[in-house]
Amino acid sequence: MVIYLPGTVEDTPRLDDLTPRQIVQELDKHVVGQAAAKRAVAIALRNRIRRQKLPPDLAQDVIPKNIIMIGSTGVGKTEIARRLARLANSPFLKVEASKFTEVGYVGRDVESIIRDLVDIAIDLVREEKIAEIEEKARQNAEERLLDILLPTRRDSEAAAPEDEAAFQRTREKLRQQLREGRLDNRLVEIEVKERGFPSGIEIITPQGIEEMDINLRDMLPGMFPGTRTKVRNMSVREAVEYLTQEEEQKLVDMDQVARLAVERVEESGIVFLDEIDKIAGRENSSGPDVSREGVQRDILPIIEGTTVNTRYGMVRTDHILFIAAGAFHVSKPSDLIPELQGRFPIRVNLDPLTKEDFKRILTEPRNSLIRQYIALLETEGVTLEITDDAIEAVADFAYTVNQNTENIGARRLHTVMEKVLDEVSFTAPDLEDKHFRVDAEYVRKVLAGIVQDEDLSKYIL
């Protein structure tokens, strides 16, 4: 089951204070059902907190217990992992195992997983550092803009005290006007840096395309004498944003960001390996396969613990939590190579969604599908009323179509709801009666013919 909600979890206690039971309760706010999977990831997260409290010599030997989630599409595998990472404020990367190929073949190599995870951690830490110095950066930008609007004296002789006082009063008046937004549309001239050559260049190696952080300006100082700037006219509003970004770049120590990001990846990174069943060998397969057993052999050292070279330094993968997921319709977890099976000691089966689950998905989450559609149509001045029997009918139709055709889990609800509300969504701006009621009879009238015709439902629902 997948429910996408913006922002972070509100009123959540500190991570150190969260017990496994409380972690499950937080996940319950966004994912319906799947108690076994939530329980497994809650224990994994709590064990990380426990490990941080151990003596260093013991902590280095406590490795995370990686998890395999087994379940069909749309039952909540990805969303559970994503919500867990957001709850822990950890670097999180979702990758499809089927995208990778064995070393020596054209395609992505598995070490790019760790490099991508470090890039995500860099962005995460940088945003945190920017939030810390945001007020200071805005103050500095304000001072620079005031210097442009009211240049300071450059006379060799000191100004008279009364002239200095008058200058400061004028400056404070401008500051007040700037903060009130009365100068937003005024044009000013700002020196901006010209875009130069990128600091990093890509090279092709036997392992794939890598990015080397080579600064050409440092290597060839004669060809690049200095940073070139140009004068650009922009409004005061734009100038405030531009100068604030410049000040943020000056105040944030990127060396410290890189160091903290690498440390966070090593201690709390989470990698979600989706479609792991697609690289599982089948009993009747034979011969080399660059996207199956070869990929498994390459993934193995990453999961069991190795050192990956990134442009921010060496990253150890010993304590990164790997959560693998797959439907395993054709293959089985036992079709994975034995060494890889041993690195995923916890296996969790996710239950198929029932009709009752569909009803809960439609109504329980804070930003459920029903609430989303009501809010969307409110922007057109239309009051959308969806009755309880209509919700039950939608859940019944979604469950029926999943049973008769391909089972895509909760994603079927998106398809059914779009079809049910197709008419009002199209005519909403032109409706004279701004109240639209959807009941079970209306749902049956729209969907009954499509659901009964199995061939038609394969294409429409």
Side-chain angles (χ1 to χ4, degrees):
M1 193 284 305
V2 179
I3 300 291
Y4 294 102
L5 297 178
T8 56
V9 180
E10 297 177 358
D11 302 326
T12 302
R14 290 176 63 251
L15 181 61
D16 288 357
D17 300 330
L18 283 175
T19 65
R21 193 181 305 276
Q22 290 172 322
I23 294 171
V24 170
Q25 290 172 356
E26 292 296 330
L27 294 174
D28 283 340
K29 296 178 181 179
H30 309 285
V31 182
V32 170
Q34 313 304 356
K38 293 174 183 173
R39 186 185 180 100
V41 297
I43 293 171
L45 184 58
R46 184 65 181 180
N47 279 339
R48 284 192 156 182
I49 301 170
R50 293 165 178 158
R51 176 182 167 271
Q52 292 172 359
K53 299 176 181 178
L54 295 177
D57 57 334
L58 179 58
Q60 66 181 0
D61 292 330
V62 178
I63 60 174
K65 307 302 183 287
N66 300 317
I67 303 167
I68 287 186
M69 293 185 182
I70 305 168
S72 57
T73 182
V75 297
K77 302 186 296 292
T78 306
E79 193 64 9
I80 288 173
R82 182 182 289 118
R83 291 293 171 183
L84 183 75
R86 183 173 295 180
L87 188 62
N89 196 26
S90 300
F92 174 80
L93 176 67
K94 175 184 178 292
V95 293
E96 282 74 33
S98 54
K99 283 186 176 180
F100 299 96
T101 58
E102 188 177 357
V103 169
Y105 293 86
V106 175
R108 301 194 68 192
D109 72 292
V110 295
E111 288 192 355
S112 63
I113 295 173
I114 306 304
R115 289 190 287 270
D116 292 345
L117 188 63
V118 173
D119 288 337
I120 291 170
I122 290 287
D123 292 338
L124 189 66
V125 175
R126 182 169 55 216
E127 287 175 5
E128 292 174 359
K129 293 298 180 183
I130 286 176
E132 292 175 5
I133 53 89
E134 186 176 10
E135 186 61 32
K136 177 65 175 175
R138 188 160 288 273
Q139 290 175 3
N140 292 352
E142 185 180 84
E143 295 297 331
R144 287 179 60 184
L145 192 54
L146 288 173
D147 289 340
I148 295 171
L149 293 170
L150 186 66
T152 56
R153 285 180 174 273
R154 296 184 180 178
D155 299 340
S156 55
E157 297 179 1
E162 58 271 16
D163 292 342
E164 184 63 29
F167 176 82
Q168 290 300 329
R169 285 195 300 271
T170 305
R171 188 179 177 90
E172 290 307 313
K173 287 180 182 177
L174 277 175
R175 189 191 306 276
Q176 187 66 26
Q177 293 175 358
L178 181 62
R179 291 178 176 175
E180 292 173 356
R182 287 151 60 182
L183 303 177
D184 282 355
N185 297 323
R186 182 172 171 179
L187 291 178
V188 292
E189 289 186 347
I190 302 291
E191 278 194 358
V192 298
K193 296 178 181 178
E194 284 190 346
R195 288 186 176 273
F197 288 93
S199 60
I201 59 174
E202 290 184 344
I203 62 170
I204 298 177
T205 69
Q207 288 75 33
I209 298 178
E210 305 292 343
E211 186 171 339
M212 292 184 62
D213 199 20
I214 300 174
N215 196 322
L216 297 178
R217 195 178 305 279
D218 293 340
M219 292 177 61
L220 305 170
M223 293 180 61
F224 306 98
T227 302
R228 298 177 60 183
T229 61
K230 62 180 179 181
V231 176
R232 181 180 152 202
N233 288 327
M234 61 179 73
S235 67
V236 167
R237 185 191 293 110
E238 294 173 335
V240 169
E241 293 303 319
Y242 177 81
L243 293 174
T244 301
Q245 291 177 10
E246 269 200 355
E247 291 299 321
E248 287 172 350
Q249 292 175 4
K250 292 178 183 177
L251 292 173
V252 172
D253 182 358
M254 287 307 297
D255 291 336
Q256 183 191 29
V257 167
R259 188 170 61 255
L260 292 175
V262 169
E263 181 181 335
R264 188 171 297 187
V265 166
E266 292 180 338
E267 296 298 323
S268 63
I270 298 176
V271 174
F272 185 79
L273 277 172
D274 205 2
E275 310 286 0
I276 191 75
D277 55 319
K278 302 299 187 295
I279 63 169
R282 298 172 178 83
E283 292 179 0
N284 59 354
S285 64
S286 61
D289 194 328
V290 299
S291 62
R292 288 187 193 162
E293 189 171 331
V295 178
Q296 293 182 55
R297 287 196 302 268
D298 289 343
I299 287 178
L300 181 61
I302 300 289
I303 295 176
E304 68 182 0
T306 187
T307 303
V308 177
N309 186 18
T310 72
R311 53 181 171 156
Y312 301 105
M314 308 299 285
V315 178
R316 293 198 59 80
T317 66
D318 301 68
H319 301 290
I320 295 176
L321 176 64
F322 289 86
I323 302 176
F328 289 99
H329 290 314
V330 178
S331 58
K332 307 181 294 294
S334 58
D335 291 331
L336 296 167
I337 60 175
E339 298 90 341
L340 193 60
Q341 291 182 48
R343 301 299 172 184
F344 288 92
I346 302 174
R347 297 182 187 179
V348 182
N349 286 288
L350 280 78
D351 303 321
L353 298 177
T354 64
K355 189 190 306 181
E356 191 62 33
D357 289 332
F358 282 147
K359 289 170 60 178
R360 294 176 59 197
I361 292 166
L362 284 170
T363 56
E364 286 188 8
R366 184 171 57 234
N367 289 347
S368 64
L369 271 179
I370 298 295
R371 291 172 186 162
Q372 290 177 30
Y373 281 110
I374 290 174
L376 285 171
L377 290 174
E378 274 183 358
T379 63
E380 302 278 5
V382 176
T383 301
L384 178 64
E385 179 189 354
I386 301 178
T387 63
D388 291 340
D389 60 345
I391 292 172
E392 188 163 348
V394 168
D396 183 49
F397 278 117
Y399 180 76
T400 302
V401 175
N402 269 353
Q403 294 299 109
N404 295 337
T405 61
E406 199 70 35
N407 187 350
I408 60 172
R411 294 185 179 92
R412 184 73 67 187
L413 289 173
H414 291 267
T415 310
V416 174
M417 286 298 296
E418 279 296 321
K419 189 63 183 175
V420 169
L421 299 177
D422 177 79
E423 180 67 22
V424 65
S425 296
F426 185 78
T427 60
D430 309 318
L431 287 177
E432 294 183 1
D433 182 6
K434 293 296 186 180
H435 182 271
F436 194 90
R437 189 171 188 267
V438 176
D439 54 16
E441 183 181 352
Y442 180 83
V443 173
R444 283 192 289 269
K445 183 176 70 174
V446 174
L447 296 179
I450 300 173
V451 173
Q452 289 172 4
D453 189 335
E454 188 171 330
D455 291 333
L456 192 59
S457 65
K458 288 180 180 179
Y459 293 96
I460 298 180
L461 295 179

CSV table of all heavy atoms in Angstrom, one decimal, residues 2 11 20 93 95 112 124 142 153 162 174 203 219 224 232 266 271-272 293 333 340 350 357 399 422 425 428 438 450:
chain,number,residue,atom,x,y,z
A,2,VAL,N,0.6,2.2,-0.9
A,2,VAL,CA,1.4,3.3,-1.0
A,2,VAL,C,0.6,4.6,-0.8
A,2,VAL,O,-0.4,4.8,-1.5
A,2,VAL,CB,2.1,3.4,-2.4
A,2,VAL,CG1,3.0,4.6,-2.5
A,2,VAL,CG2,2.9,2.1,-2.6
A,11,ASP,N,4.9,16.0,15.5
A,11,ASP,CA,4.8,15.6,16.9
A,11,ASP,C,5.4,14.2,17.2
A,11,ASP,O,4.9,13.4,17.9
A,11,ASP,CB,3.3,15.5,17.4
A,11,ASP,CG,2.7,16.9,17.2
A,11,ASP,OD1,3.4,17.9,17.3
A,11,ASP,OD2,1.5,16.9,16.8
A,20,PRO,N,10.3,0.2,19.8
A,20,PRO,CA,9.8,-0.5,18.6
A,20,PRO,C,8.3,-0.4,18.4
A,20,PRO,O,7.8,-0.2,17.3
A,20,PRO,CB,10.2,-2.0,18.8
A,20,PRO,CG,11.5,-1.9,19.6
A,20,PRO,CD,11.3,-0.7,20.5
A,93,LEU,N,18.2,5.4,-0.1
A,93,LEU,CA,18.3,5.2,-1.6
A,93,LEU,C,17.5,4.0,-2.0
A,93,LEU,O,17.6,2.9,-1.5
A,93,LEU,CB,19.7,5.0,-2.0
A,93,LEU,CG,19.9,4.8,-3.5
A,93,LEU,CD1,19.6,6.0,-4.3
A,93,LEU,CD2,21.4,4.4,-3.8
A,95,VAL,N,16.8,1.6,-5.2
A,95,VAL,CA,17.3,1.2,-6.5
A,95,VAL,C,16.7,-0.1,-6.9
A,95,VAL,O,16.2,-0.9,-6.1
A,95,VAL,CB,18.8,1.0,-6.5
A,95,VAL,CG1,19.5,2.3,-6.2
A,95,VAL,CG2,19.3,0.0,-5.4
A,112,SER,N,28.0,2.0,-7.6
A,112,SER,CA,27.3,3.3,-7.8
A,112,SER,C,26.2,3.4,-6.8
A,112,SER,O,25.7,4.6,-6.5
A,112,SER,CB,26.8,3.4,-9.2
A,112,SER,OG,25.8,2.4,-9.5
A,124,LEU,N,21.4,16.1,2.2
A,124,LEU,CA,20.7,16.0,3.5
A,124,LEU,C,21.4,16.9,4.5
A,124,LEU,O,20.8,17.7,5.2
A,124,LEU,CB,20.6,14.6,3.9
A,124,LEU,CG,19.7,14.3,5.1
A,124,LEU,CD1,18.2,14.7,4.8
A,124,LEU,CD2,19.8,12.9,5.6
A,142,GLU,N,21.2,41.1,3.4
A,142,GLU,CA,20.6,42.4,3.6
A,142,GLU,C,21.6,43.5,3.7
A,142,GLU,O,21.4,44.6,3.1
A,142,GLU,CB,19.7,42.3,4.9
A,142,GLU,CG,18.9,43.5,5.2
A,142,GLU,CD,18.1,43.4,6.5
A,142,GLU,OE1,18.6,43.7,7.5
A,142,GLU,OE2,16.9,43.0,6.4
A,153,ARG,N,30.4,56.0,2.5
A,153,ARG,CA,31.3,57.1,2.1
A,153,ARG,C,32.7,56.6,1.8
A,153,ARG,O,33.1,55.7,2.5
A,153,ARG,CB,31.4,58.1,3.3
A,153,ARG,CG,30.2,59.0,3.5
A,153,ARG,CD,30.5,60.0,4.6
A,153,ARG,NE,29.4,61.0,4.7
A,153,ARG,CZ,29.4,62.1,4.1
A,153,ARG,NH1,30.4,62.4,3.2
A,153,ARG,NH2,28.4,63.0,4.2
A,162,GLU,N,27.4,64.4,12.8
A,162,GLU,CA,26.0,64.6,12.4
A,162,GLU,C,25.7,64.0,11.0
A,162,GLU,O,24.6,63.5,10.8
A,162,GLU,CB,25.6,66.1,12.4
A,162,GLU,CG,26.5,67.0,11.5
A,162,GLU,CD,27.7,67.5,12.2
A,162,GLU,OE1,28.1,67.0,13.2
A,162,GLU,OE2,28.3,68.5,11.7
A,174,LEU,N,15.8,52.6,4.9
A,174,LEU,CA,15.8,51.7,3.8
A,174,LEU,C,15.7,50.2,4.3
A,174,LEU,O,15.0,49.4,3.6
A,174,LEU,CB,17.2,51.8,3.0
A,174,LEU,CG,17.3,53.0,2.0
A,174,LEU,CD1,18.7,53.1,1.5
A,174,LEU,CD2,16.3,52.7,0.9
A,203,ILE,N,35.0,10.1,-16.4
A,203,ILE,CA,35.9,9.3,-17.2
A,203,ILE,C,35.3,7.9,-17.2
A,203,ILE,O,34.5,7.5,-16.4
A,203,ILE,CB,37.3,9.2,-16.5
A,203,ILE,CG1,37.2,8.6,-15.1
A,203,ILE,CG2,37.9,10.6,-16.5
A,203,ILE,CD1,38.5,8.3,-14.5
A,219,MET,N,44.7,23.0,-11.6
A,219,MET,CA,45.7,22.3,-12.4
A,219,MET,C,46.3,23.2,-13.5
A,219,MET,O,47.5,23.1,-13.8
A,219,MET,CB,45.0,21.1,-13.2
A,219,MET,CG,44.6,20.0,-12.2
A,219,MET,SD,43.8,18.6,-13.1
A,219,MET,CE,45.1,18.1,-14.3
A,224,PHE,N,43.2,29.8,-16.4
A,224,PHE,CA,42.0,30.2,-15.7
A,224,PHE,C,42.5,31.2,-14.6
A,224,PHE,O,42.7,30.9,-13.5
A,224,PHE,CB,41.3,29.1,-15.0
A,224,PHE,CG,40.9,28.0,-16.0
A,224,PHE,CD1,41.7,26.8,-16.1
A,224,PHE,CD2,39.8,28.1,-16.8
A,224,PHE,CE1,41.4,25.8,-17.0
A,224,PHE,CE2,39.5,27.1,-17.7
A,224,PHE,CZ,40.3,26.0,-17.8
A,232,ARG,N,24.6,42.3,-13.6
A,232,ARG,CA,23.2,41.9,-14.1
A,232,ARG,C,22.2,42.7,-13.3
A,232,ARG,O,22.3,42.9,-12.1
A,232,ARG,CB,23.0,40.4,-13.8
A,232,ARG,CG,21.7,39.9,-14.3
A,232,ARG,CD,21.5,38.4,-14.0
A,232,ARG,NE,20.1,38.1,-13.8
A,232,ARG,CZ,19.7,37.0,-13.2
A,232,ARG,NH1,20.6,36.2,-12.6
A,232,ARG,NH2,18.4,36.8,-13.0
A,266,GLU,N,27.7,5.7,6.7
A,266,GLU,CA,28.3,4.5,7.3
A,266,GLU,C,27.6,4.0,8.5
A,266,GLU,O,27.5,2.8,8.8
A,266,GLU,CB,29.8,4.8,7.7
A,266,GLU,CG,30.7,5.0,6.5
A,266,GLU,CD,32.2,5.2,6.9
A,266,GLU,OE1,32.4,5.7,8.1
A,266,GLU,OE2,33.0,5.0,6.1
A,271,VAL,N,19.6,1.3,2.3
A,271,VAL,CA,19.4,1.0,0.8
A,271,VAL,C,18.3,0.1,0.6
A,271,VAL,O,18.2,-1.0,1.3
A,271,VAL,CB,20.7,0.4,0.3
A,271,VAL,CG1,20.5,0.0,-1.2
A,271,VAL,CG2,21.9,1.4,0.4
A,272,PHE,N,17.3,0.5,-0.2
A,272,PHE,CA,16.2,-0.4,-0.5
A,272,PHE,C,16.4,-1.0,-1.9
A,272,PHE,O,16.4,-0.3,-2.9
A,272,PHE,CB,14.9,0.5,-0.5
A,272,PHE,CG,13.7,-0.4,-0.7
A,272,PHE,CD1,13.1,-1.1,0.3
A,272,PHE,CD2,13.0,-0.4,-2.0
A,272,PHE,CE1,11.9,-1.8,0.1
A,272,PHE,CE2,11.9,-1.1,-2.2
A,272,PHE,CZ,11.3,-1.9,-1.1
A,293,GLU,N,23.0,-13.9,-11.7
A,293,GLU,CA,24.0,-14.4,-10.7
A,293,GLU,C,25.2,-13.6,-10.7
A,293,GLU,O,25.8,-13.4,-9.6
A,293,GLU,CB,24.4,-15.9,-11.1
A,293,GLU,CG,25.2,-16.5,-10.0
A,293,GLU,CD,25.4,-18.0,-10.2
A,293,GLU,OE1,24.5,-18.6,-10.9
A,293,GLU,OE2,26.4,-18.6,-9.8
A,333,PRO,N,13.1,-17.0,-2.8
A,333,PRO,CA,14.3,-16.5,-2.2
A,333,PRO,C,15.4,-17.5,-2.1
A,333,PRO,O,16.6,-17.2,-2.2
A,333,PRO,CB,13.8,-16.1,-0.8
A,333,PRO,CG,12.4,-15.8,-0.9
A,333,PRO,CD,11.9,-16.7,-2.0
A,340,LEU,N,24.4,-14.9,-0.6
A,340,LEU,CA,23.5,-13.7,-0.5
A,340,LEU,C,22.4,-14.0,0.4
A,340,LEU,O,21.9,-13.1,1.2
A,340,LEU,CB,23.0,-13.3,-1.9
A,340,LEU,CG,22.4,-11.9,-2.0
A,340,LEU,CD1,23.4,-10.8,-1.6
A,340,LEU,CD2,21.9,-11.7,-3.4
A,350,LEU,N,4.6,-10.1,3.1
A,350,LEU,CA,3.5,-9.1,3.2
A,350,LEU,C,2.2,-9.6,2.7
A,350,LEU,O,2.2,-10.3,1.6
A,350,LEU,CB,3.9,-7.8,2.4
A,350,LEU,CG,4.9,-6.9,3.2
A,350,LEU,CD1,6.3,-7.4,3.1
A,350,LEU,CD2,4.9,-5.5,2.6
A,357,ASP,N,-9.0,-3.6,3.8
A,357,ASP,CA,-7.8,-2.8,3.7
A,357,ASP,C,-8.0,-1.6,2.7
A,357,ASP,O,-7.6,-0.5,3.0
A,357,ASP,CB,-6.6,-3.6,3.2
A,357,ASP,CG,-6.1,-4.6,4.3
A,357,ASP,OD1,-6.3,-4.3,5.5
A,357,ASP,OD2,-5.6,-5.6,3.9
A,399,TYR,N,-11.1,-4.4,-5.4
A,399,TYR,CA,-10.7,-5.7,-5.0
A,399,TYR,C,-11.1,-6.7,-6.1
A,399,TYR,O,-10.3,-7.6,-6.4
A,399,TYR,CB,-11.4,-6.0,-3.7
A,399,TYR,CG,-11.1,-7.4,-3.2
A,399,TYR,CD1,-9.8,-7.7,-2.6
A,399,TYR,CD2,-12.0,-8.5,-3.3
A,399,TYR,CE1,-9.5,-9.0,-2.1
A,399,TYR,CE2,-11.7,-9.7,-2.8
A,399,TYR,CZ,-10.5,-10.0,-2.2
A,399,TYR,OH,-10.2,-11.2,-1.8
A,422,ASP,N,-14.2,11.0,-13.1
A,422,ASP,CA,-13.8,11.6,-14.4
A,422,ASP,C,-14.7,12.7,-14.8
A,422,ASP,O,-14.3,13.8,-15.2
A,422,ASP,CB,-13.8,10.4,-15.4
A,422,ASP,CG,-13.5,11.0,-16.8
A,422,ASP,OD1,-12.3,11.2,-17.1
A,422,ASP,OD2,-14.4,11.1,-17.6
A,425,SER,N,-14.5,15.9,-12.5
A,425,SER,CA,-13.2,16.5,-12.7
A,425,SER,C,-13.1,17.3,-14.0
A,425,SER,O,-12.5,18.4,-14.1
A,425,SER,CB,-12.0,15.5,-12.7
A,425,SER,OG,-12.0,14.8,-11.5
A,428,ALA,N,-16.1,20.4,-13.6
A,428,ALA,CA,-16.1,21.2,-12.4
A,428,ALA,C,-16.1,22.7,-12.6
A,428,ALA,O,-16.9,23.4,-12.0
A,428,ALA,CB,-14.9,20.8,-11.5
A,438,VAL,N,-21.5,11.7,-4.6
A,438,VAL,CA,-21.1,10.4,-5.1
A,438,VAL,C,-21.6,9.4,-4.1
A,438,VAL,O,-21.1,9.3,-3.0
A,438,VAL,CB,-19.6,10.3,-5.4
A,438,VAL,CG1,-19.2,8.9,-5.8
A,438,VAL,CG2,-19.1,11.3,-6.4
A,450,ILE,N,-17.9,-1.9,-17.0
A,450,ILE,CA,-16.4,-2.1,-17.2
A,450,ILE,C,-15.9,-3.3,-16.4
A,450,ILE,O,-15.2,-4.2,-17.0
A,450,ILE,CB,-15.6,-0.9,-16.8
A,450,ILE,CG1,-16.1,0.3,-17.7
A,450,ILE,CG2,-14.2,-1.1,-17.0
A,450,ILE,CD1,-15.5,1.6,-17.2
